[in-house]
Amino acid sequence: AIGRVTGQRFALNKFSILMFWTLGIVTAAFILFHLTAKNLDPVSLMITGVFALISGALVVWQEELRGAIYLHMLSNSLVVAKAVGFI
């Protein structure tokens, strides 16, 4: 979709300026979703943004979703464990 907007094709498995712009747009959308859905404080939104960047970089670096999915599962498990008092 980004290629259609910019008129340039780019590989998602190689780090480039256009790929970083794409990650930035995805990160912004990720933060916007969490802001509207959960009404988080600024620090939590910043952490969410960093999480989105790391997840996106894992997808690019590993060329698959598995690492990002595991990271998301770990993050959500820690949040739930904290919410119920396990940690």
Side-chain angles (χ1 to χ4, degrees), residues 55-76:
S55 294
L58 278 172
V59 170
V60 172
W61 178 49
Q62 296 179 342
E63 298 181 20
E64 66 180 9
L65 293 173
R66 186 177 303 168
I69 291 170
Y70 289 153
L71 180 63
H72 209 113
M73 289 169 55
L74 174 66
S75 173
N76 287 345

